[in-house]
Amino acid sequence: MEGLKLSYSLHLSHGGKTLHPFTASTLVSRFHPKCYLPLSTGCRQYAGFIVQALALVYPKSLSFRHFGMGRVQELRFTAGRTSASMQPITEELEDDKSKDFPTSGDSIRQRFLDFYAARGHKVLPSASLVPDDPTVLLTIAGMLQFKPVFLGKVPRQVPRATTSQRCIRTNDVENVGRTSRHHTFFEMLGNFSFGDYFKRDAIKWSWELSTMEFGLPADRLWISVYEDDNEAFAIWHDEVGVPVQRIKRLGADDNFWTSGVTGPCGPCSEIYYDFHPERGHSNADLGDGTRFIEFYNLVFMQYNKRDDGSLEPLKQKNIDTGLGLERMARILQKVPNNYETDLIFPIIEKASELANVSYTLADDPTKANLKIIGDHLRASVYLISDGVVPSNIGRGYVVRRLIRRTVRTGRLLGIKGDGKGNLEGAFLPILARKVIDLSSHIDSDVKTRAPRILEELKREELRFVITLERGEKLLEQMLAIALSSAQDNGTVPCLSGKDAFLLYDTYGFPVEITMEVAGERGVNIDMNGFNIEMENQRRQSQAAHIAVKLAVENGADLTDNIPDTEFLGYDTLSTRAVVESLLVNGKPVLQVAEGNDVEVLLNRTPFYAESGGQIGDHGFLCVTETGNQLKAVVEIKDVQKSLGNIFVHKGTVIEGEIEVGREVEAAVDADLRKRAKVHHTATHLLQAALKNVIGQETSQAGSLVAFDRLRFDFNFHRPLKDNELMEIEGLVNRWIADATLLRTKVMPLTDAKLAGAIAMFGEKYGEQVRVVEVPGVSMELCGGTHVSNTSEIRGFKIISEQGIASGIRRIEAVAGEAFVEYVSARDNHMKQLCSTLKVKADEVVTRVESLLEELRIARNEVSAMRGKAAVYRASIIASKAFTVGTSKTIRVLVESMDDTDADSLKSAADYLLDTLQDPAAVILGSCPGEGKVSLIAAFSPGVVDLGIQAGKFIGPIAKLCGGGGGGKPNFAQAGGRKPENLMSALDKARAEFVSILSEKTS
């Protein structure tokens, strides 16, 4: 702050006495010599520092008059234990003669979080873009991570929270770059109340944040409220002071938030910024995107919508808000759209450099394309960072589509190769580095995952370039067909909407390019059909991405009576417990008799519930009477978590009758638990070994910890080599042999991450986490069960490695008792093999290779003999050939060759064609096995020259035999599954061929 000169001063008063005047810069410098604040923060921001400092001296209250920023305002500050609150007393608006300064996106984010932290909100981290919620594909809203709390399924950890949530929405992907505000990736700043404060505080704080923290002129802010929400209207007008003419009542479509057909809902209130206040209040439309932008949305979640549509008040009223970071950055940085803020524009500038264009001088279409690249690349980088790999399904399809749109847009801008002269290179990694550079304050994990992100983008881009080239060839074929069809029918050539959409959706061709190329060839495009296909896809996309489904279920009422289950399974495998509830087919019952399946809820349990990839424990619940006589036994085959942290024990009553309120002895199957523990710890060692051998950038993409094996999915772009698998296996077994004691402790999530603990893919963590460490080898956040010493694992063996999706590999392995069983079984197989081959174990490979070579030679000999036999049989039937035609005679042979195999049938056709000489045609059929038909058509050049093609002729004939096929003009093969139809198919072939030849040679 040294040397900072401000154009206003502060006059403080305390206890009715005027204190000495001083400049704000002097005071701030005195109390906060190292602070940094953007100038646009204004006097109010510095006043906050002043109050915090002077509150130490003047603990009760302070007031001052603030001159500057175009207005005079008296402010009173009241010091509290942790922060000072500020309320306006009077305000006189004057002409705004100040000069505003832009504020960085990172600063806006931090100031928002600090603002609400000072008001008792817990700052929580952004959730992953891959939500822990089966109802949505991606994280599309800031409230998603709090959905279980809003539903009452999970008890609130804090009464109020604030976040900066990374979000993905692709339902409006076509608007990206075309409008000033649409994005696929964006940050939603939010403040949330879980049954704590409600409308009044939410409204007042949102106004204070907007006008005082961010310094937005009050006369440029408009408000919308739900048409029936008189309470919100009154707060805005009577308490905040917004004039009536700047408060709009809107209907349910705009200002009533619902989660679905049923569930939590409530009215909304939104704050809009007015870019053109000179247009006045008359007929102002908040939907006018050229004048207004909505930047803050307040949802008052106060009702539950029933099945009949009626609304009932929620027991716990909640606040859910969202402030668009990109939108606020646009306003404060005074740029014409969200893309030209410092959050995105550096990416656009880099793309402009690669495309060799000037963004400033570019026309609107070029600017739009540059914006698309900037937006889509942000989304792709953060999706890949969160573990989403490009594929053709689900989340993978979302990121693949975004990457492909980016690549085709880059090519449309003229970016060739990497844009720097290497035509075989890729340009996405170059731009992605800029995204990664900007990620520090958004997600610190992105930089550590950079190598994997860049490699994935490069591989996907290069793969898609090949697809684009195929699309270009396909377009040429489509245009040729359209022109030929129009010529035959005497119509105007037109490419169907479905074909144009196929090129767009599958091959990445913008419809504009398709129209341009087609226009050059004189072909129209059915744009109506294209738009129908596009709308169908958009509806599917909206259904998949935009709905956050909430529902107040019967289970929510259950949680009012059933507390969370106390888990004792880390320390014991058996305990006495009380049956809190019984469920049959999901419905509560008081007792369950022998032979029925049941779900049992206990107050405490030693059973591990499935999570973190580890399956649930098996075991028994026993009810005993006096003298330890068994009265009832429930066999437990699965345990799941439900409604937050309630353990649901799923099993069957195999003896007696179990009742609610009974005390039971809950006992876990110790042998199966041991098997699970061994495989879980081995999974941690496997991940550590993978990172050592193939690179630290590889990460988990899923896992299964079962009693008989473990399965580990990870991100990697190629199959592992045999020597790599051997090295991984060797490392794990060495760590097992080291007999290392494991360390397990509970600590704050932030401390665990700072210590280097790895999070399990797809898991959701609270503020306190359990860390499992194999000292010197592995440290992971994990709630699973583990061995105490690595020596308990005994041994580790990889049994398979394979690809399961694009960029995702899977390793299956065994450890502990399963390892012993696996090795023992393989040893028995080897002994049997040695006995059969009559060799020693170390001679098995050589003997098998020798047998395979002998088999290959024998098969070749058999094939040659069959071919000779077929030729011999062909020489016999050659005399059955007949001639067709008058001006030109063609020798034709159509015959069956019984059970001749396909290869021999080909040899016979070649022989017959040579024997009959040009011009000749041979059509042969056979039934080489049960349910099999083989067909061959072989035409000499003289027949092909007549315009008759073997490939086109044989296909329809094969259909008669329940099959199909095709080939070249001179030779074609086909097959079928109906041998009983072979003779009638050959008769038809003979008749049709004679008819065609007669016409061609007459």
Side-chain angles (χ1 to χ4, degrees):
M1 302 297 293
E2 187 65 30
L4 177 63
K5 302 299 181 183
L6 300 180
S7 61
Y8 51 81
S9 63
L10 302 178
H11 296 266
L12 292 179
S13 64
H14 175 61
K17 297 180 180 180
T18 302
L19 302 180
H20 64 279
F22 46 83
T23 64
S25 59
T26 303
L27 186 140
V28 173
S29 179
R30 186 178 304 164
F31 287 101
H32 291 274
K34 294 183 179 180
C35 71
Y36 167 78
L37 288 171
L39 294 178
S40 60
T41 306
C43 179
R44 297 182 183 88
Q45 181 72 39
Y46 299 114
F49 288 118
I50 295 168
V51 172
Q52 291 177 21
L54 293 187
L56 300 174
V57 182
Y58 303 100
K60 293 185 178 180
S61 66
L62 296 169
S63 66
F64 67 86
R65 289 182 64 79
H66 163 210
F67 301 90
M69 297 298 289
R71 62 191 66 186
V72 180
Q73 184 172 30
E74 183 179 353
L75 301 171
R76 177 174 292 118
F77 293 82
T78 303
R81 287 189 301 169
T82 59
S83 64
S85 64
M86 176 170 61
Q87 301 87 27
I89 301 174
T90 61
E91 179 175 356
E92 294 177 35
L93 294 178
E94 298 179 353
D95 292 337
D96 187 353
K97 300 177 182 178
S98 65
K99 182 178 180 182
D100 291 330
F101 294 87
T103 304
S104 73
D106 289 337
S107 173
I108 296 169
R109 182 191 305 108
Q110 192 58 51
R111 288 165 63 189
F112 179 94
L113 297 175
D114 290 346
F115 179 89
Y116 282 104
R119 287 152 183 79
H121 291 65
K122 176 71 174 178
V123 179
L124 297 178
S126 171
S128 169
L129 290 173
V130 179
D132 185 22
D133 187 330
T135 68
V136 287
L137 199 62
L138 295 164
T139 297
I140 60 175
M143 56 73 64
L144 195 61
Q145 65 170 302
F146 304 116
K147 173 179 168 181
V149 181
F150 287 142
L151 285 174
K153 289 186 174 182
V154 174
R156 70 181 190 182
Q157 300 299 313
V158 293
R160 53 182 74 171
T162 183
T163 63
S164 175
Q165 176 63 53
R166 293 173 286 114
C167 300
I168 292 282
R169 290 185 190 174
T170 58
N171 53 295
D172 286 325
V173 69
E174 294 303 321
N175 289 324
V176 170
R178 314 299 178 191
T179 71
S180 63
R181 59 184 177 82
H182 281 96
H183 301 288
T184 56
F185 174 87
F186 58 94
E187 289 185 78
M188 188 63 75
L189 307 175
N191 55 288
F192 306 90
S193 167
F194 312 111
D196 188 17
Y197 64 86
F198 199 51
K199 284 184 187 178
R200 178 168 283 99
D201 287 331
I203 289 173
K204 287 188 173 182
W205 282 335
S206 68
W207 184 258
E208 185 180 344
L209 174 81
S210 301
T211 60
M212 304 185 76
E213 176 66 28
F214 291 135
L216 300 181
D219 57 354
R220 283 198 172 207
L221 301 185
W222 290 61
I223 306 299
S224 70
V225 297
Y226 178 53
E227 57 190 356
D228 295 335
D229 192 354
N230 296 321
E231 180 186 6
F233 189 99
I235 295 172
W236 281 115
H237 176 56
D238 299 335
E239 300 184 35
V240 176
V242 180
V244 172
Q245 60 266 34
R246 292 211 311 274
I247 305 177
K248 294 285 188 180
R249 292 182 183 267
L250 300 178
D253 289 344
D254 296 299
N255 277 65
F256 195 90
W257 182 86
T258 59
S259 60
V261 178
T262 62
C265 58
C268 306
S269 186
E270 297 165 327
I271 308 178
Y272 291 77
Y273 185 81
D274 186 356
F275 290 107
H276 297 285
E278 71 279 1
R279 296 182 186 175
H281 301 96
S282 179
N283 299 320
D285 178 9
L286 295 180
D288 181 358
T290 65
R291 176 176 178 179
F292 297 101
I293 185 170
E294 176 231 322
F295 65 86
Y296 209 163
N297 183 18
L298 316 177
V299 176
F300 311 125
M301 203 180 297
Q302 63 189 91
Y303 301 114
N304 175 44
K305 191 174 184 180
R306 294 176 165 178
D307 291 333
D308 60 4
S310 62
L311 301 177
E312 63 177 354
L314 285 173
K315 296 177 184 178
Q316 173 180 293
K317 294 180 179 180
N318 306 303
I319 290 293
D320 161 26
T321 79
L323 183 148
L325 175 60
E326 290 79 5
R327 297 187 182 195
M328 181 57 78
R330 171 194 174 185
I331 296 169
L332 293 180
Q333 295 175 18
K334 298 188 181 299
V335 292
N337 55 72
N338 296 2
Y339 297 93
E340 295 183 35
T341 66
D342 66 343
L343 295 166
I344 307 175
F345 196 62
I347 311 166
I348 292 175
E349 285 185 310
K350 190 64 178 178
S352 301
E353 176 188 323
L354 295 182
N356 196 28
V357 298
S358 166
Y359 179 85
T360 305
L361 301 177
D363 56 19
D364 288 342
T366 300
K367 285 183 176 180
N369 286 330
L370 288 167
K371 292 172 186 175
I372 289 171
I373 291 176
D375 170 89
H376 286 12
L377 204 56
R378 287 178 91 207
S380 300
V381 165
Y382 286 100
L383 281 168
I384 294 173
S385 176
D386 278 359
V388 182
V389 179
S391 69
N392 288 328
I393 58 172
R395 301 181 183 100
Y397 176 72
V398 173
V399 70
R400 170 162 285 173
R401 186 178 177 214
L402 291 173
I403 290 173
R404 290 186 169 189
R405 290 190 94 232
T406 310
V407 173
R408 74 175 185 240
T409 304
R411 287 168 68 93
L412 189 63
L413 287 170
I415 301 177
K416 303 295 184 183
D418 66 356
K420 294 189 173 183
N422 179 11
L423 297 181
E424 301 300 321
F427 73 91
L428 292 189
I430 296 173
L431 295 179
R433 288 189 180 93
K434 181 62 67 174
V435 180
I436 293 167
D437 289 343
L438 297 170
S439 70
S440 298
H441 299 285
I442 303 173
D443 181 2
S444 59
D445 290 331
V446 172
K447 286 193 174 181
T448 62
R449 297 165 181 164
R452 177 169 59 85
I453 294 169
L454 297 175
E455 180 62 30
E456 198 66 60
L457 288 170
K458 177 182 177 182
R459 183 166 55 253
E460 187 68 15
E461 177 180 350
L462 295 180
R463 181 186 294 138
F464 181 52
V465 166
I466 297 173
T467 304
L468 270 176
E469 292 171 352
R470 292 175 185 162
E472 291 169 352
K473 294 178 181 177
L474 180 59
L475 174 57
E476 283 300 318
Q477 294 175 11
M478 290 176 173
L479 294 176
I481 293 172
L483 288 166
S484 176
S485 175
Q487 185 176 7
D488 292 342
N489 300 323
T491 58
V492 177
C494 183
L495 192 67
S496 73
K498 285 190 175 182
D499 284 345
F501 185 76
L502 174 68
L503 288 165
Y504 163 81
D505 193 50
T506 304
Y507 294 94
F509 264 62
V511 70
E512 294 84 2
I513 292 182
T514 303
M515 291 174 66
E516 183 179 340
V517 176
E520 293 173 355
R521 301 284 298 275
V523 179
N524 295 330
I525 293 183
D526 176 16
M527 287 305 299
N528 184 51
F530 175 85
N531 292 331
I532 290 173
E533 296 293 326
M534 180 68 76
E535 183 59 30
N536 289 338
Q537 188 200 62
R538 184 176 287 112
R539 279 198 220 99
Q540 293 171 356
S541 178
Q542 287 175 337
H545 299 298
I546 197 163
V548 180
K549 298 180 181 177
L550 299 177
V552 178
E553 303 164 358
N554 293 333
D557 297 330
L558 194 61
T559 59
D560 293 339
N561 304 312
I562 305 296
D564 286 350
T565 309
E566 182 184 2
F567 177 61
L568 307 173
Y570 293 134
D571 304 312
T572 183
L573 294 182
S574 65
T575 188
R576 303 293 294 179
V578 176
V579 177
E580 297 282 359
S581 180
L582 298 172
L583 302 172
V584 175
N585 296 323
K587 297 180 179 179
V589 296
L590 294 177
Q591 59 187 25
V592 182
E594 182 177 323
N596 290 295
D597 293 335
V598 63
E599 295 179 344
V600 185
L601 278 57
L602 304 174
N603 65 330
R604 55 170 60 187
T605 185
F607 284 81
Y608 182 83
E610 181 176 330
S611 62
Q614 181 177 332
I615 65 174
D617 281 328
H618 291 190
F620 295 91
L621 304 180
C622 301
V623 180
T624 58
E625 292 184 326
T626 306
N628 289 329
Q629 291 286 328
L630 280 177
K631 182 180 180 182
V633 178
V634 181
E635 184 178 11
I636 302 300
K637 289 295 185 181
D638 187 23
V639 185
Q640 298 285 333
K641 283 185 182 179
S642 180
L643 305 173
N645 203 35
I646 296 175
F647 287 38
V648 181
H649 305 73
K650 300 183 178 184
T652 304
V653 182
I654 60 175
E655 183 178 334
E657 184 177 84
I658 189 169
E659 301 172 347
V660 172
R662 278 282 189 174
E663 188 176 64
V664 300
E665 178 73 22
V668 173
D669 186 317
D671 179 63
L672 293 182
R673 165 66 78 82
K674 183 178 180 180
R675 284 170 171 260
K677 290 197 306 182
V678 161
H679 280 132
H680 208 149
T681 305
T683 300
H684 286 209
L685 298 181
L686 171 59
Q687 177 161 222
L690 277 165
K691 288 180 176 291
N692 269 273
V693 174
I694 64 175
Q696 291 295 318
E697 67 275 8
T698 188
S699 62
Q700 181 184 346
S703 68
L704 171 69
V705 176
F707 305 132
D708 61 339
R709 72 191 190 285
L710 68 87
R711 188 179 72 211
F712 188 80
D713 300 340
F714 57 100
N715 296 298
F716 204 57
H717 60 278
R718 62 168 174 81
L720 298 189
K721 301 172 184 176
D722 289 342
N723 65 309
E724 290 173 328
L725 291 171
M726 290 178 62
E727 187 177 354
I728 291 166
E729 199 174 85
L731 263 177
V732 174
N733 281 308
R734 191 177 77 202
W735 291 330
I736 292 170
D738 287 342
T740 304
L741 286 169
L742 273 71
R743 298 174 186 168
T744 304
K745 53 188 173 182
V746 176
M747 63 175 68
L749 177 61
T750 53
D751 293 350
K753 287 188 174 181
L754 287 173
I758 298 173
M760 298 287 281
F761 177 83
E763 285 296 292
K764 189 174 183 180
Y765 301 97
E767 290 186 50
Q768 296 291 314
V769 294
R770 184 168 180 263
V771 178
V772 177
E773 180 182 10
V774 182
V777 177
S778 166
M779 181 188 290
E780 296 191 23
L781 308 183
C782 183
T785 61
H786 289 270
V787 299
S788 300
N789 189 299
T790 58
S791 62
E792 297 174 39
I793 301 175
R794 301 169 67 185
F796 173 86
K797 182 68 181 175
I798 294 174
I799 58 179
S800 70
E801 190 276 338
Q802 61 183 329
I804 59 170
S806 175
I808 298 182
R809 310 295 301 174
R810 170 173 290 173
I811 284 178
E812 292 198 13
V814 289
E817 191 65 28
F819 163 79
V820 175
E821 292 168 353
Y822 178 85
V823 172
S824 178
R826 292 303 178 273
D827 184 58
N828 286 333
H829 294 326
M830 179 60 75
K831 287 177 180 177
Q832 294 175 16
L833 196 57
C834 290
S835 175
T836 302
L837 297 176
K838 311 229 182 289
V839 295
K840 297 178 181 179
D842 57 0
E843 297 172 347
V844 167
V845 174
T846 303
R847 180 58 180 145
V848 170
E849 289 176 346
S850 175
L851 288 173
L852 288 174
E853 179 61 19
E854 291 174 12
L855 180 61
R856 185 186 66 79
I857 294 172
R859 282 177 173 171
N860 288 341
E861 290 176 351
V862 170
S863 180
M865 291 176 63
R866 284 176 177 170
K868 290 179 180 178
V871 169
Y872 175 73
R873 293 167 73 179
S875 67
I876 295 174
I877 65 172
S879 60
K880 295 183 179 181
F882 56 92
T883 60
V884 178
T886 54
S887 62
K888 182 178 182 180
T889 57
I890 311 294
R891 283 169 290 282
V892 179
L893 180 64
V894 182
E895 288 294 331
S896 169
M897 291 192 66
D898 303 325
D899 60 353
T900 303
D901 65 272
D903 288 339
S904 300
L905 203 64
K906 181 179 181 301
S907 298
D910 290 339
Y911 168 81
L912 287 168
L913 210 58
D914 288 340
T915 301
L916 297 177
Q917 297 183 347
D918 190 26
V922 176
I923 301 170
L924 301 177
S926 68
C927 300
E930 185 176 352
K932 291 183 179 180
V933 173
S934 290
L935 290 164
I936 281 184
F939 298 167
S940 70
V943 175
V944 175
D945 290 343
L946 293 174
I948 308 174
Q949 297 187 10
K952 291 183 179 180
F953 180 81
I954 201 66
I957 303 302
K959 286 183 179 179
L960 299 175
C961 297
K968 298 178 181 179
N970 65 319
F971 184 85
Q973 289 179 287
R977 300 180 302 277
K978 297 179 179 179
E980 65 274 14
N981 293 349
L982 175 61
M983 296 312 296
S984 59
L986 290 175
D987 289 341
K988 182 174 178 62
R990 184 181 294 107
E992 288 191 0
F993 200 72
V994 169
S995 175
I996 293 170
L997 282 178
S998 296
E999 181 181 342
K1000 296 282 187 180
T1001 59
S1002 60

